[in-house]
Structure formats: C-alpha cells, structure tokens
Amino acid sequence: MSVSLAIAATFLFFLLVSGCILNIGLSSLCQSVTKADAVKSCQAAQSLTWSESHKSSPFYTSLHNAQVSAWVNFFFWVVALVLLIIQKKRGTQFTQLTGTGDPETDPIFHRPQ
C-alpha cells in the first residue's frame, strides 16, 4: 500500500512540475508573440504567415491542449492519491480474486497455491 502511495505521489509531483512548465512556457511565449503590433492574441498569431519559408503551425492550440491535459491528469492523480490515503487510513487492503469455478468470474491467470 505504501508503495502505491509513493508511486502516486511521485507521479503527482512530476505532473505538477510539467503543468507549471507548460503554463509558464505558454504564457511567456504568448507575451513575446503579442508584443508585435500586428498580433492581437496568441490564437490569432498561429494563423499568420511568419515568413515565406515557414508556415505557422497551430502552436497555440497544441500547447493549450497539452496544458489542459496536464492539469486534468493532475486532478485525476490527486483523486487517486486521496482515495489511496483514505484506503490506508481505514486499514483496508487490496483483495485478491479467488476462483469460484465460473469461467466468467475466475481470474485470467491462476496463481499456483
């Protein structure tokens, strides 16, 4: 149980760091892009032609989607960690499936006794 808590806490930490890096990176990129007079927003900047050899890609949409997915993933790992902590406080452990003889409810891989 404590190994599961440690793994969940480690994932949560790295997701927090990733989300912060994406958040700070996207906001600083948008601040530098919107300093130009012709650009009103980051979303509008991705549709502009920057030079003839470089076509603009949907950089804002891609970075925004990555940022949102990092924070949603962080939220779900917080929920998982809270559930693990509650399970540990109650003293309940994982229960192992045991075979009942019914092929639909038996575990796929039987452990030798």
Side-chain angles (χ1 to χ4, degrees), residues 20-88:
C20 290
I21 288 172
L22 282 168
N23 191 14
I24 292 169
L26 181 61
S27 65
S28 64
L29 176 69
C30 285
Q31 284 177 355
S32 66
V33 166
T34 55
K35 284 183 181 176
D37 293 333
V39 180
K40 301 289 185 215
S41 69
C42 235
Q43 208 166 8
Q46 71 182 358
S47 62
L48 295 176
T49 304
W50 292 91
S51 68
E52 290 186 27
S53 61
H54 291 45
K55 293 182 180 179
S56 65
S57 61
F59 67 91
Y60 176 77
T61 304
S62 299
L63 286 173
H64 180 71
N65 289 342
Q67 181 183 5
V68 168
S69 66
W71 290 119
V72 168
N73 202 355
F74 177 78
F75 170 74
F76 283 126
W77 274 100
V78 166
V79 170
L81 185 65
V82 167
L83 290 175
L84 281 171
I85 290 171
I86 290 171
Q87 186 177 15
K88 186 166 177 81

